[in-house]
RNA sequence: GGUCGCAUAGCUCAGUUGGUUAGAGCGUUCGAUUCACAUUCGAAAGGCCCCUGGUUCGAGCCCAGGUGCGACCACCA
C-alpha cells in the first residue's frame, strides 16, 4: 500500500466533508449510542450576517469542533447547532451605506418593504458565503438543525417570549432618557455611542441675581429645563441650602429650582454645584426620579428648542446657546468662560452629536420579582447562577466581569428605531389608543376572483342566488387550474367561497388542486347585487354607478345594492376571519367587486378611490393583511409598533430557540458549554442567562469557555478597515483546513488574545504532512495493515518503551511524573481541562520526536510481526488522538487504510496501564542519551557526516549494559559509528562525554585538535565548578537541610556527587591533553 | 476615573501545590539529499524571567509598590 509523497489537502477535504455529511453522524439522533448516553451540546455563537467570516470566527469553529469531535468519540450524544445572527442595527447600517454608495438613496426613499427586500437580498449572499466557509473548516455541525435568528421559527419564538414577558410584567413601555441621534432619528444603544475629544467652552454663571449658587456647564441651552441644583451632601459651602426651593428668572424663562444632595456630585469640579436637567442627561434623569423632580423637555427630536421657550423656541442648540450666553453676559451673570477638554458623544454612524432625550421605549425590567423564579428577579437569578457555580467561567476571572456588569445593570432597553429585525409585536388601536400585545401572526387573506363564466361571455349580469344557471366556461376552468398552481407555494389553510355557481366551481377546482377538502361558503362574498340590471349587459350597470356614485353610496336606486352595504358585508367577512382564524392564510373566492372593495381595505383609501381600483385577474395581487389582534373596543383598525427589537433579545434566546425539534429541549437543554469571545460576555452571555431563566427557569449552559481576540502579527486587532483581516478560505487554500485549525489551537490559552501570522500555519502544515508521511512509511512497511493489535507481547525494549510512552500520552492525568526523558504527557487529561494548546503540543512532541525521530529510526531495519503490531497499534490510536485537531488528514489516512467506518465515531483511546513500563523507559532514555552524546561529539569536532567515528564506552551501567550491546548496530547507524567497543579502560587521545556512570569516548586519532579540545573541556569544567559551588552552598546551608523536604535534599546530594564525578573525569582528560 | 489582564530567547508562547543548570515552535547559524518525509534530518548560538522591595532554607511562580502595553466598563456636569 502506498500513499502519495506529500499530503494534498485539496484532494481530500471536500470529498471527506461530503462523506461526513452523508454519514449523518453530525446529527446526534443518528449516533448509535446506548440509551443512557449523556448529551453534550454546544450552540455555535451565530456569526453576524454583515460580512463573511474572518479568522476570529475560524478560531471559534476550531475550538468548538475540537471539543465536539472529542466528546463524540468519547460516546456522548453530541450536538453542535449552527446558525447565523441577523444583527439588526449592524446589518441595516451596512445595507444603508451600500444603498447610498450605489444608488444615492436612503431607506426612506425606498420605504419599509422595498428596503427590507434589499436587506434580505444582501443577507442571503453573506449567509451562503458563511455557510461555505464553515464547511470548509471541517466543522461537524448538525445542519439539520440550522437556525437563523430571524427565520420563521425564531420569529415566532421571539414574539411569544415578548408576550410572555409582557404578561408577566417583565416587559414594559416607559420613558427614559436615551441617546438620540437627531440626524438618524433613532435611539442608540450605549455601545453605539462614540466619543470624540474636543475643546469646549465651559461657562460659569448664576440663573439670576437672586440665586445663591453658581453653576457651570458646557451646554447653557439645556439649562432652560433645569429643575434642581445638586450639591455634594458633604459640601460645607452649600449644606445650608439643601431642600430649599427658588423661583428664578433664567434669561427670561421662569424656573423652579430645588437644591438637592447627591453623592455623585464632585465637589472639586466647577463650582461643585450641578444644574440638574432631567430631560437631557441620563445622570440627571436618575436624580430627578429619586427626588421627584419635574421633567421639562427642552430639545426636540430634530435637535431644536421646543415650544414655550419664547425667543429660543425653534432655534437649534448652537443658536440657542449663543443667544443665552449673550443674554447672561448682558445681565452680568456670566462669571467665567474657560476652555476645557471634554468628550463629546457622537453617533457612531454619522458622527452627529447625540442629544440625550426622554423617549418612549420598551424595556425589560431586570429587577422585577418573578413568581416562578422563587420571587427573584432575572438579575438576581443571573447573579446567583454565577456565584453559586451553576455556571462556570473558563478562565474564572471573567466571572468578575460578568458579575460586575450584572450587578450594575439597569432596565434593558429593547426597542430600536430601525426596520430590520423582529418588529415589536405590539399593536396600537387607532380608535381607542389601547396597547395590544400579541404573538399571534397576521391573518392573511387572498381574494380570488372566479374564472371566466358563461355570464361573462354572454355579457349578462347575474347576481341573483335563485338564478344560478351559469357556471365556468372551459377557459374559466383552465384559469382556475392555473391559479391553483400559482397558489401551491402559499400554504393556504382555509378556503372560503361565495355561494354563486361560478365561484363555487372555481373554489372546488382550486381546493382539489391544493388538497383542501372543505370549502366554507359565505354569502358575504357574493357579487354586488345588480337589482334591475339582472340579466342585462354590464355596461349599463357600470355606467349608471359611475355617474351616480354619491347616490349609490348609501341608497339603492333601481334595487341595486349600495356601496355601503357591499363594503359592510365584505369588511364584516374580513373581521370575522381575523377574529376566528388568527395567523392563518385564507383564500376567499369571490367576485370582481368583492376583490375591489377588499383591496380598498388593505390600502386604506377613501371610498371613492376604492371603487375606482381595478381588480386583477390572478390571485397574487389582492391580499389583505389583518392585524393579529382585535382591540377590546372591538376595532380591528390597529397599527403595529414601528420599532424593532434589540438584536440581543433574539440572540439571548439562542440556546433554546434553536432546540425546537420535538424532544430536543428536554434532551439538550441546558447545554453543556458556551464557547465564545470574551468581548461579548456582557452583551450576549448575560442576556442568554436572563432569557433562559425567564423562559425555562434554568441556566442556558453549564460552562462558559472564553477565547481571546485574534490579533495580527503586530498585536493589532484584525479588521477589514485596517486591512489586516484574513479570510480563512485563503489559509485553507494555501495550507489546508487542518493546518489552519491547528495554527489557531496551538499556542492559544483561554481568555488570552492570540497573534496570528502565516508562519504558524506553515509550520502546522509541515506537521500535518509529517503525520501523513509517518503513515505512508508504516503502510509501506507492514505486511498486513489489518494485523491484530489487541494482543501484543513486546520483546524488544524499544517496543516496550514506545508502547509505554504512547500509553502515557493517552492518559487522562494531565502530567505523569517521571524522572526519565522522552516521556509523554496525557492528552486526554489536558483536553478534559480545556488545555487544548498543550494537548496539541504533547501530541506534536510524541509524533515528531518520540515516534518518528526515535522509534521509527530505531526499528527501520527490523522485520518482524511484533514490530508490525506495534506500528499499527500506535498509528491507529494516534490518528484518533489527532482527529479532533486535524480531522481531514486523519480521516484521509484512516480511509486509505481501508477502514470501513468513519474515524469521526471511532472510540477514543483509553490508556492501557499494563503497557506502562518504567524499566523500558529508563533503558531507552540511556540509548537516546548515548546517541545524542555521540552526535554532540561529532558536531563539536566538525566530523564530516560521511566519516565514521570510533567510539569506546567504558564502565557501562550494569542495568543498561545489555541494552547497549543489544542496540549496538542501531547506535552505530544513528551515530554514524564505524567501530563501537565496550571497554574497561579509558582510551588515550579521546574526547569524552559522560552520562552518569557511562563514559563515552570518541577516538581522536586523525581528528585531534588539542587546542580545540582543551577549550571545550575548560568550558565544561567551569560550568561544572560553578554548578558544584552552588550545590555546595545550598547543602552547606543548615537552614536548607533542616527545612527542605528530605526528598529535595537527597536529590541535591545526588546531583552533587554526580557532578563531582563528572568533574573528576574532565580534569583527568585535561591532564591527558597537557 | 473604575475594573481586569499581560510583561519569560530575535518573534509567538509553555512553565503544574514555590524545589535539577528555565523549555517548545518559528527565525538565525553550521552541516546533511540513493533512506516515509527538504512540507525532511542532525547540531549550535541565543534569557538581569519588566523594575524595586518583602515572605521563605529556596521565588519566573507568593505578597506590596512602581513602570510599560492592552482590554472592558463608566463618563466629566
Amino acid at each position: 500500500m502506498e500513499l502519495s509523497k506529500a499530503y494534498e489537502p485539496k484532494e481530500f477535504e471536500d470529498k471527506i466533508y461530503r462523506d461526513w455529511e452523508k454519514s449523518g453522524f453530525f446529527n446526534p439522533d443518528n449516533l448509535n449510542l446506548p440509551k443512557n448516553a449523556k448529551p453534550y451540546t454546544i450552540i455555535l455563537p451565530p456569526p453576524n450576517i454583515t460580512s463573511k467570516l474572518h479568522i476570529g470566527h475560524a478560531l471559534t469553529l476550531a475550538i468548538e469542533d475540537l471539543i465536539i469531535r472529542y466528546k463524540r468519540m468519547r460516546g456522548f450524544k453530541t450536538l453542535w447547532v449552527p446558525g447565523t445572527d441577523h444583527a439588526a442595527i449592524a446589518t441595516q447600517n451596512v445595507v444603508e451605506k451600500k444603498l447610498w454608495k450605489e444608488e444615492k438613496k436612503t431607506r426612506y426613499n425606498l420605504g419599509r418593504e422595498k428596503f427590507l427586500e434589499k436587506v434580505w437580498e444582501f443577507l442571503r449572499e453573506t449567509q451562503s458565503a458563511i455557510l461555505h466557509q464553515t464547511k470548509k473548516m471541517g466543522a461537524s455541525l448538525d445542519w439539520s438543525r440550522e437556525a437563523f435568528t430571524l427565520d420563521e421559527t425564531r420569529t415566532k419564538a421571539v414574539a411569544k417570549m415578548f408576550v410572555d414577558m409582557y404578561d408577566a410584567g417583565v416587559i414594559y413601555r416607559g420613558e427614559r432618557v436615551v441617546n438620540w441621534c437627531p440626524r438618524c432619528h433613532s435611539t442608540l444603544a450605549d455601545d453605539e455611542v462614540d466619543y470624540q475629544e474636543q475643546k469646549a467652552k465651559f461657562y460659569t454663571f448664576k440663573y439670576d441675581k437672586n440665586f445663591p449658587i453658581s453653576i457651570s456647564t458646557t451646554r447653557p441651552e439645556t439649562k432652560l429645563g433645569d429643575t434642581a441644583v445638586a450639591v455634594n451632601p458633604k459640601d460645607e459651602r452649600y449644606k445650608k441650602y439643601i431642600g430649599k426651593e427658588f423661583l428664578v428668572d433664567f434669561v427670561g424663562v421662569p424656573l423652579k429650582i430645588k437644591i438637592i444632595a447627591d453623592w455623585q456630585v464632585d465637589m472639586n469640579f466647577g463650582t461643585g454645584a450641578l444644574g440638574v436637567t432631567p430631560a437631557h442627561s441620563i445622570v440627571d434623569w436618575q436624580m430627578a426620579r429619586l427626588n421627584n423632580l419635574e421633567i421639562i423637555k427642552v430639545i426636540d427630536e430634530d435637535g431644536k428648542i421646543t415650544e414655550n421657550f419664547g425667543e429660543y423656541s425653534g432655534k437649534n442648540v448652537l443658536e440657542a446657546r449663543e443667544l443665552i450666553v449673550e443674554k447672561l453676559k448682558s445681565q452680568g451673570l456670566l462669571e467665567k468662560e474657560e476652555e476645557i477638554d471634554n468628550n463629546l458623544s457622537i453617533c457612531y454612524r454619522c458622527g452627529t452629536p447625540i442629544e440625550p432625550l426622554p423617549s418612549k421605549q420598551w424595556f425589560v425590567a431586570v429587577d422585577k420579582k418573578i413568581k416562578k423564579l422563587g420571587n427573584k428577579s432575572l438579575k438576581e437569578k443571573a447573579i446567583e447562577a454565577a456565584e453559586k457555580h451553576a455556571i462556570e467561567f473558563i478562565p474564572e476571572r471573567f466571572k468578575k466581569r460578568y458579575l460586575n456588569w450584572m450587578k450594575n445593570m439597569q432596565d434593558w432597553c429593547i426597542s430600536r428605531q430601525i426596520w430590520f429585525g423582529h418588529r415589536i409585536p405590539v399593536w396600537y388601536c387607532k380608535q381607542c389608543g389601547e396597547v395590544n400585545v400579541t404573538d399571534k401572526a397576521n391573518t392573511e387573506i387572498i381574494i380570488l376572483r372566479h374564472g371566466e363564466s358563461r355570464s361573462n361571455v354572454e355579457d349578462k349580469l347575474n347576481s341573483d342566488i335563485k338564478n344560478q344557471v351559469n357556471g365556468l366556461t372551459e377557459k374559466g376552468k383552465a384559469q382556475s387550474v392555473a391559479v391553483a398552481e400559482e397558489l401551491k407555494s402559499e400554504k393556504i389553510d382555509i378556503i372560503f367561497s361565495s355561494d354563486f355557481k361560478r365561484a363555487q366551481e372555481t373554489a372546488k377546482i382550486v381546493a382539489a388542486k391544493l388538497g383542501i377538502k372543505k370549502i366554507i361558503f359565505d354569502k358575504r362574498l357574493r357579487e354586488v347585487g345588480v337589482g334591475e340590471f339582472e340579466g342585462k349587459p354590464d355596461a349599463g350597470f357600470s355606467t349608471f354607478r359611475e355617474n351616480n356614485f354619491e347616490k349609490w353610496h348609501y341608497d339603492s336606486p333601481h334595487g341595486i345594492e349600495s356601496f355601503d352595504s357591499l363594503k359592510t358585508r365584505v369588511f364584516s367577512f374580513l373581521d370575522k376571519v381575523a377574529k376566528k382564524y388568527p395567523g392563518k392564510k385564507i383564500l376567499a373566492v369571490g367576485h370582481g367587486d368583492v376583490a375591489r372593495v377588499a383591496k380598498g381595505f388593505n390600502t386604506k383609501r377613501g371610498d371613492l378611490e376604492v371603487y375606482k381600483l381595478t381588480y386583477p385577474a390572478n390571485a397574487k395581487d389582492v391580499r389583505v393583511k389583518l392585524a393579529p389582534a382585535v382591540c377590546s373596543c372591538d376595532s380591528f383598525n390597529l397599527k403595529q409598533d414601528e420599532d424593532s427589537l434589540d438584536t440581543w433579545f433574539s440572540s439571548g434566546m439562542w440556546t433554546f430557540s434553536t432546540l425546537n425539534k420535538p424532544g430536543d429541549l428536554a434532551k439538550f437543554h441546558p447545554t453543556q458549554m458556551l464557547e465564545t469571545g470574551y468581548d461579548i460576555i456582557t452583551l450576549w452571555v448575560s442576556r442568554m442567562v436572563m432569557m433562559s431563566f425567564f423562559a425555562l427557569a434554568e441556566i442556558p449552559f453549564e460552562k462558559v469557555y472564553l477565547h481571546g481576540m485574534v490579533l495580527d502579527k503586530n498585536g493589532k486587532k484584525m479588521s477589514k478597515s485596517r486591512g489586516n483581516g484574513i479570510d480563512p478560505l485563503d489559509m485553507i487554500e494555501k495550507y489546508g483546513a487542518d493546518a489552519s485549525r491547528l495554527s489557531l489551537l496551538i499556542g492559544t490559552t483561554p481568555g488570552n488574545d492570540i497573534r496570528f501570522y502565516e508562519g504558524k500555519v506553515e509550520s502546522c502544515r509541515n506537521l500535518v504532512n509529517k503525520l501523513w508521511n509517518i503513515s505512508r512509511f508504516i503502510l509501506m512497511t507492514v505486511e498486513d495493515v489489518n494485523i491484530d493489535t489487541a494482543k501484543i507481547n513486546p520483546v524488544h525494549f524499544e517496543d516496550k518503551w514506545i508502547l509505554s510512552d504512547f500509553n502515557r500520552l493517552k492518559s487522562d492525568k494531565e502530567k505523569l511524573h517521571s524522572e526519565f526523558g522522552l516521556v509523554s504527557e496525557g492528552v486526554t487529561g489536558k483536553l478534559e481541562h480545556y488545555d487544548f494548546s498543550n494537548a496539541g503540543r504533547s501530541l506534536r512532541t510524541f509524533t515528531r520526536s518520540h515516534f518518528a525521530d526515535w522509534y521509527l529510526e530505531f526499528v527501520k531495519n527490523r522485520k518482524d510481526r511484533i514490530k508490525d503490531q506495534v506500528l499499527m497499534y500506535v498509528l491507529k490510536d494516534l490518528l484518533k488522538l489527532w482527529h479532533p485537531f486535524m480531522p481531514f488528514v486523519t480521516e484521509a489516512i484512516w480511509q486509505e487504510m481501508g477502514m470501513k467506518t468513519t474515524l469521526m465515531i471511532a472510540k477514543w483511546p483509553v490508556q492501557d496501564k499494563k503497557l506502562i513500563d518504567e524499566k523500558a523507559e529508563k533503558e531507552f532514555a540511556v540509548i537516546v542519551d548515548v546517541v545524542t552524546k555521540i552526535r554532540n561529539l561529532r558536531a563539536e569536532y566538525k566530523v564530516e557526516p560521511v566519516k565514521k567515528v570510533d567510539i569506546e564506552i567504558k564502565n557501562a551501567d550494569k542495568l543498561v549494559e545489555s541494552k547497549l550491546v543489544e542496540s549496538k548496530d542501531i547506535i552505530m547507524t544513528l551515530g554514524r559509528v564505524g567501530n563501537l567497543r565496550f571497554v574497561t579502560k579509558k582510551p588515550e587521545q579521546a574526547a569524552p562525554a559522560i552520562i552518569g556512570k557511562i563514559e563515552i569516548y570518541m577516538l581522536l586519532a586523525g581528528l585531534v585538535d588539542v587546542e580545540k579540545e582543551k577549550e571545550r573541556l575548560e568550558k565544561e569544567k567551569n560550568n561544572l565548578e560553578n554548578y558544584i559551588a552552588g550545590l555546595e552552598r545550598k547543602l552547606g546551608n543548615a537552614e536548607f537541610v533542616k527545612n527542605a523536604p528530605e526528598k529535595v535534599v537527597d536529590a541535591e546530594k545526588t546531583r552533587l556527587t554526580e557532578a563531582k564525578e563528572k568533574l573528576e573525569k574532565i580534569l583527568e582528560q585535561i591532564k591527558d591533553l597537557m
Side-chain angles (χ1 to χ4, degrees):
Chain A
M1 181 180 291
E2 194 167 334
L3 273 55
S4 60
K5 222 170 168 191
Y7 175 61
E8 293 296 338
K10 275 184 226 163
E11 283 173 28
F12 295 94
E13 290 181 354
D14 290 347
K15 185 192 172 298
I16 286 175
Y17 196 85
R18 276 198 302 276
D19 288 347
W20 285 335
E21 279 194 285
K22 263 187 246 158
S23 79
F25 294 131
F26 289 171
N27 182 344
D29 302 338
N30 299 329
L31 292 169
N32 194 13
L33 293 169
K35 276 232 164 82
N36 59 354
K38 284 190 186 158
Y40 194 92
T41 309
I42 298 178
I43 315 283
L44 176 76
N48 288 356
I49 40 95
T50 44
S51 60
K52 290 194 292 179
L53 303 186
H54 53 73
I55 208 85
H57 297 105
L59 174 65
T60 306
L61 291 170
I63 294 174
E64 290 179 26
D65 196 43
L66 166 68
I67 301 172
I68 285 291
R69 284 181 186 270
Y70 168 66
K71 292 289 177 182
R72 195 183 287 121
M73 290 173 82
R74 296 224 72 174
F76 285 84
K77 202 168 173 60
T78 310
L79 172 63
W80 189 22
V81 183
T84 41
D85 186 6
H86 71 285
I89 296 186
T91 305
Q92 174 159 331
N93 279 341
V94 170
V95 178
E96 277 188 279
K97 269 188 195 150
K98 217 176 132 200
L99 187 66
W100 183 252
K101 207 175 150 195
E102 289 167 10
E103 302 177 34
K104 290 275 176 267
K105 280 184 185 161
T106 69
R107 64 175 153 134
Y108 299 102
N109 294 139
L110 290 189
R112 191 165 188 139
E113 301 230 335
K114 281 257 166 61
F115 177 73
L116 287 180
E117 270 170 37
K118 286 257 175 208
V119 180
W120 279 96
E121 211 173 278
F122 166 82
L123 79 82
R124 264 186 279 267
E125 229 171 82
T126 46
Q127 224 169 15
S128 71
I130 288 170
L131 185 86
H132 178 238
Q133 287 173 307
T134 307
K135 290 188 173 182
K136 277 290 208 179
M137 284 291 291
S140 58
L141 287 151
D142 179 7
W143 295 105
S144 75
R145 286 177 168 85
E146 191 189 353
F148 175 47
T149 52
L150 197 59
D151 62 17
E152 206 186 327
T153 312
R154 263 45 66 174
T155 301
K156 278 184 186 161
V158 164
K160 185 174 184 320
M161 186 82 173
F162 188 98
V163 173
D164 289 348
M165 291 177 97
Y166 179 82
D167 289 344
V170 175
I171 282 183
Y172 67 94
R173 193 179 189 216
E175 192 149 86
R176 197 174 80 172
V177 174
V178 294
N179 304 304
W180 180 266
C181 173
R183 194 210 67 93
C184 301
H185 267 243
S186 177
T187 54
L188 297 172
D190 290 344
D191 49 286
E192 289 162 348
V193 176
D194 279 346
Y195 296 95
Q196 196 180 60
E197 297 236 330
Q198 63 158 16
K199 296 260 183 232
K201 286 250 169 77
F202 191 54
Y203 305 97
T204 301
F205 57 90
K206 281 184 176 149
Y207 293 114
D208 73 6
K209 268 180 264 168
N210 302 321
F211 194 72
I213 304 173
S214 301
I215 57 161
S216 304
T217 184
T218 52
R219 300 203 53 193
E221 73 279 9
T222 64
K223 303 286 107 184
L224 295 169
D226 280 13
T227 48
V229 164
V231 298
N232 193 297
K234 280 203 302 198
D235 200 325
E236 294 298 334
R237 293 172 292 180
Y238 306 126
K239 237 179 184 171
K240 56 184 179 241
Y241 300 116
I242 293 170
K244 291 206 168 122
E245 276 188 15
F246 295 84
L247 291 171
V248 301
D249 175 44
F250 175 58
V251 293
V253 176
L255 300 176
K256 194 165 88 182
I257 304 287
K258 189 176 178 181
I259 313 297
I260 60 169
D262 196 293
W263 289 101
Q264 289 184 64
V265 178
D266 179 357
M267 294 196 290
N268 301 319
F269 189 86
T271 61
L274 160 69
V276 181
T277 320
H280 300 288
S281 151
I282 289 162
V283 179
D284 293 9
W285 172 269
Q286 287 160 0
M287 286 188 200
R289 293 184 91 170
L290 288 172
N291 293 284
N292 285 320
L293 298 173
E294 202 189 334
I295 292 153
I296 301 168
K297 193 167 164 180
V298 181
I299 298 161
D300 67 13
E301 281 68 16
D302 294 319
K304 294 196 167 128
I305 306 295
T306 54
E307 283 172 32
N308 303 322
F309 288 104
E311 57 180 306
Y312 311 110
S313 292
K315 298 263 188 321
N316 73 34
V317 292
L318 291 178
E319 291 163 355
R321 186 179 306 168
E322 259 176 49
L323 263 171
I324 288 169
V325 171
E326 279 311 308
K327 197 82 159 251
L328 286 171
K329 263 186 199 159
S330 68
Q331 290 177 344
L333 292 169
L334 189 68
E335 294 166 8
K336 230 195 282 178
E337 188 179 326
E338 52 201 317
E339 203 159 73
I340 61 161
D341 296 316
N342 83 343
N343 275 334
L344 180 67
S345 307
I346 55 169
C347 174
Y348 82 120
R349 235 180 296 170
C350 65
T352 307
I354 277 162
E355 283 300 340
L357 287 181
S359 159
K360 278 219 164 171
Q361 302 290 336
W362 289 93
F363 294 91
V364 170
V366 295
D367 291 311
K368 166 96 184 170
K369 309 277 183 196
I370 297 166
K371 261 200 192 140
K372 66 175 172 185
L373 296 179
N375 231 14
K376 286 183 177 158
S377 67
L378 294 179
K379 187 196 263 188
E380 285 167 322
K381 291 300 284 185
I383 291 169
E384 191 183 280
E387 281 181 343
K388 294 198 173 158
H389 302 283
I391 299 175
E392 300 258 21
F393 286 80
I394 306 160
E396 221 195 322
R397 70 183 134 93
F398 287 112
K399 182 161 122 183
K400 228 177 194 171
R401 190 189 280 192
Y402 168 87
L403 282 173
N404 188 39
W405 188 84
M406 211 68 217
K407 286 177 180 172
N408 292 317
M409 190 192 189
Q410 304 210 356
D411 283 359
W412 168 24
C413 178
I414 51 170
S415 42
R416 296 292 127 91
Q417 287 65 45
I418 51 170
W419 289 346
F420 183 59
H422 296 279
R423 196 158 171 186
I424 290 179
V426 172
W427 278 258
Y428 303 100
C429 180
K430 281 188 163 176
Q431 222 145 327
C432 71
E434 193 178 307
V435 174
N436 295 272
V437 177
T438 174
D439 65 324
K440 288 181 197 136
N442 294 310
T443 308
E444 196 171 349
I445 306 176
I446 300 171
I447 313 285
L448 177 66
R449 194 195 162 210
H450 59 80
E452 186 190 73
S453 69
R454 272 178 27 224
S455 53
N456 295 138
V457 180
E458 293 164 12
D459 198 20
K460 283 179 185 167
L461 289 175
N462 175 208
S463 71
D464 186 350
I465 188 65
K466 288 172 204 146
N467 181 29
Q468 289 296 315
V469 284
N470 86 86
L472 297 182
T473 61
E474 285 311 310
K475 188 180 168 196
K477 283 175 190 164
Q479 284 172 335
S480 304
V481 170
V483 161
E485 274 311 315
E486 277 184 49
L487 286 168
K488 266 188 178 163
S489 59
E490 297 271 359
K491 291 181 195 154
I492 302 286
D493 296 301
I494 302 162
I495 298 186
F496 283 87
S497 174
S498 146
D499 54 356
F500 281 12
K501 191 168 183 188
R502 50 191 188 273
Q504 282 208 23
E505 284 184 14
T506 305
K508 276 175 191 163
I509 291 170
V510 174
K513 278 265 168 199
L514 297 179
I516 294 172
K517 289 198 180 103
K518 201 177 147 201
I519 299 167
I520 306 169
F521 296 103
D522 196 305
K523 287 192 275 191
R524 286 171 293 194
L525 292 171
R526 283 180 187 171
E527 184 56 300
V528 63
V530 296
E532 291 173 10
F533 291 94
E534 181 76 15
K536 292 179 183 158
D538 179 54
F541 176 63
S542 298
T543 315
F544 175 80
R545 280 200 303 187
E546 263 168 52
N547 295 338
N548 299 281
F549 182 78
E550 291 302 329
K551 188 163 177 55
W552 172 63
H553 200 165
Y554 294 109
D555 295 341
S556 306
H558 303 281
I560 69 174
E561 184 183 8
S562 72
F563 176 82
D564 191 51
S565 157
L566 174 65
K567 186 180 147 192
T568 306
R569 67 175 161 95
V570 171
F571 281 22
S572 148
F573 168 80
L574 297 174
D575 183 13
K576 171 199 156 184
V577 168
K579 282 178 188 165
K580 198 162 174 189
Y581 306 101
K584 299 282 184 195
K585 202 164 217 181
I586 288 156
L587 180 71
V589 184
H591 303 263
D593 274 4
V594 170
R596 203 180 268 198
V597 169
K599 195 173 175 185
F601 178 90
N602 200 23
T603 52
K604 293 185 183 67
R605 301 196 190 193
D607 288 347
L608 188 60
E609 280 115 25
V610 167
Y611 176 66
K612 284 180 179 162
L613 289 171
T614 52
Y615 55 87
N618 74 53
K620 287 196 169 164
D621 290 341
V622 181
R623 283 165 193 259
V624 181
K625 270 196 187 172
L626 296 167
V630 176
C631 188
S632 62
C633 74
D634 222 29
S635 163
F636 54 99
N637 192 2
L638 303 173
K639 192 173 184 291
Q640 187 170 6
D641 198 306
E642 291 288 328
D643 292 354
S644 292
L645 284 169
D646 179 8
T647 193
W648 300 110
F649 190 89
S650 56
S651 50
M653 297 167 60
W654 198 234
T655 61
F656 54 90
S657 69
T658 47
L659 296 174
N660 61 309
K661 273 195 188 175
D664 270 9
L665 203 56
K667 240 182 284 171
F668 299 113
H669 205 274
T671 64
Q672 276 58 55
M673 163 80 77
L674 172 76
E675 195 283 338
T676 192
Y678 64 73
D679 54 333
I680 50 175
I681 293 172
T682 53
L683 290 171
W684 190 43
V685 177
S686 62
R687 265 70 187 255
M688 281 196 281
V689 177
M690 290 193 294
M691 296 298 254
S692 177
F693 268 121
F694 184 85
L696 305 166
E698 66 183 22
I699 52 169
F701 30 69
E702 292 161 7
K703 291 196 161 64
V704 183
Y705 178 102
L706 295 151
H707 63 245
M709 302 295 111
V710 181
L711 311 175
D712 69 6
K713 199 173 179 167
N714 305 315
K716 291 272 175 283
K717 206 169 172 172
M718 287 208 194
S719 73
K720 270 200 181 148
S721 57
R722 279 204 189 84
N724 60 356
I726 292 174
D727 185 341
L729 288 184
D730 295 343
M731 291 299 117
I732 293 170
E733 170 70 23
K734 234 171 145 177
Y735 303 103
D738 291 327
S740 306
R741 294 163 58 119
L742 205 54
S743 68
L744 291 163
L745 293 168
I746 291 186
T748 308
T749 41
N752 292 323
D753 293 347
I754 70 162
R755 290 192 196 206
F756 184 87
Y757 50 89
E758 240 180 283
K760 272 187 186 174
V761 196
E762 201 181 331
S763 80
C764 289
R765 189 262 324 257
N766 296 351
L767 178 61
V768 168
N769 187 62
K770 185 78 189 177
L771 184 63
W772 174 266
N773 267 295
I774 288 169
S775 310
R776 172 176 141 93
F777 172 67
I778 293 174
L779 297 181
M780 277 166 73
T781 316
V782 296
E783 277 187 25
D784 175 14
V785 170
N786 300 310
I787 194 167
D788 176 27
T789 55
K791 276 183 205 144
I792 310 175
N793 290 310
V795 179
H796 292 97
F797 76 110
E798 66 264 28
D799 292 351
K800 289 180 182 169
W801 163 69
I802 196 72
L803 290 170
S804 176
D805 186 50
F806 186 51
N807 275 286
R808 287 190 191 274
L809 182 75
K810 291 177 187 172
S811 166
D812 56 3
K813 299 275 188 319
E814 274 194 84
K815 172 149 186 180
L816 290 171
H817 182 76
S818 170
E819 51 186 300
F820 311 114
L822 289 187
V823 172
S824 291
E825 300 177 12
V827 167
T828 309
K830 288 177 195 300
L831 290 178
E832 286 294 324
H833 288 90
Y834 311 104
D835 188 1
F836 312 124
S837 175
N838 282 322
R841 278 169 202 262
S842 296
L843 274 167
R844 181 175 63 188
T845 306
F846 176 83
T847 307
R848 268 216 134 90
S849 162
H850 300 198
F851 192 48
D853 292 349
W854 284 106
Y855 184 74
L856 292 185
E857 290 299 329
F858 218 82
V859 300
K860 224 168 207 177
N861 298 318
R862 255 175 65 195
K863 272 205 180 348
D864 57 89
R865 190 181 149 76
I866 295 176
K867 177 194 135 188
D868 283 6
Q869 279 183 307
V870 173
L871 289 178
M872 286 314 296
Y873 170 86
V874 175
L875 178 60
K876 278 188 199 166
D877 280 359
L878 188 61
L879 290 174
K880 293 178 196 167
L881 294 175
W882 268 125
H883 181 71
F885 290 87
M886 32 169 107
F888 287 112
V889 69
T890 48
E891 182 77 68
I893 297 165
W894 191 253
Q895 297 303 331
E896 294 285 324
M897 276 160 56
M899 294 310 206
K900 288 190 188 76
T901 52
T902 163
L903 182 56
M904 186 169 74
I905 52 160
K907 280 223 164 61
W908 188 256
V910 181
Q911 183 186 39
D912 184 351
K913 284 215 173 79
K914 288 197 298 291
L915 289 173
I916 303 285
D917 186 335
E918 289 199 20
K919 187 167 159 274
E921 284 170 359
K922 189 170 177 181
E923 287 164 357
F924 197 81
V926 171
I927 305 296
V928 167
D929 276 350
V930 168
V931 172
T932 306
K933 286 291 183 212
I934 294 170
R935 284 173 176 168
N936 288 354
L937 287 170
R938 295 183 60 106
E940 280 175 57
Y941 277 85
K942 295 209 183 329
V943 180
E944 305 236 336
V946 281
K947 189 160 184 182
K948 300 207 166 173
V949 291
D950 286 357
I951 298 290
E952 293 190 357
I953 297 175
K954 185 194 155 220
N955 203 18
D957 186 315
K958 280 277 169 328
L959 183 76
V960 292
E961 184 163 9
S962 63
K963 302 299 161 196
L964 285 169
V965 174
E966 189 183 325
S967 316
K968 187 178 167 186
D969 290 348
I970 294 153
I971 294 171
M972 287 172 73
T973 310
L974 298 179
R976 295 205 150 262
V977 177
N979 284 301
L980 179 63
R981 281 182 297 275
F982 298 96
V983 298
T984 49
K985 203 180 148 236
K986 183 174 81 67
E988 305 275 316
Q989 293 269 301
I994 291 133
I995 316 157
K997 292 197 167 80
I998 307 168
E999 296 166 36
I1000 301 161
Y1001 296 98
M1002 182 170 75
L1003 302 190
L1004 293 174
L1007 358 117
V1008 72
D1009 179 341
V1010 180
E1011 283 314 304
K1012 191 110 208 196
E1013 175 64 359
K1014 258 203 222 158
E1015 203 180 299
R1016 185 180 80 89
L1017 291 171
E1018 283 293 336
K1019 199 176 156 194
E1020 194 162 350
K1021 188 189 113 190
N1022 278 337
N1023 277 345
L1024 270 171
E1025 278 171 351
N1026 286 337
Y1027 180 45
I1028 289 167
L1031 285 173
E1032 279 177 337
R1033 214 178 307 124
K1034 205 174 202 179
L1035 287 164
N1037 183 340
E1039 293 293 304
F1040 171 71
V1041 179
K1042 198 176 77 190
N1043 292 320
E1046 205 178 327
K1047 238 170 98 182
V1048 174
V1049 179
D1050 283 351
E1052 298 289 320
K1053 277 181 184 162
T1054 313
R1055 271 172 217 136
L1056 182 60
T1057 316
E1058 277 172 7
K1060 277 181 171 169
E1061 280 172 10
K1062 201 167 169 183
L1063 179 64
E1064 211 170 294
K1065 283 166 192 157
I1066 300 283
L1067 288 172
E1068 257 176 59
Q1069 200 67 25
I1070 292 173
K1071 219 165 84 190
D1072 283 355
L1073 285 175
M1074 290 299 179

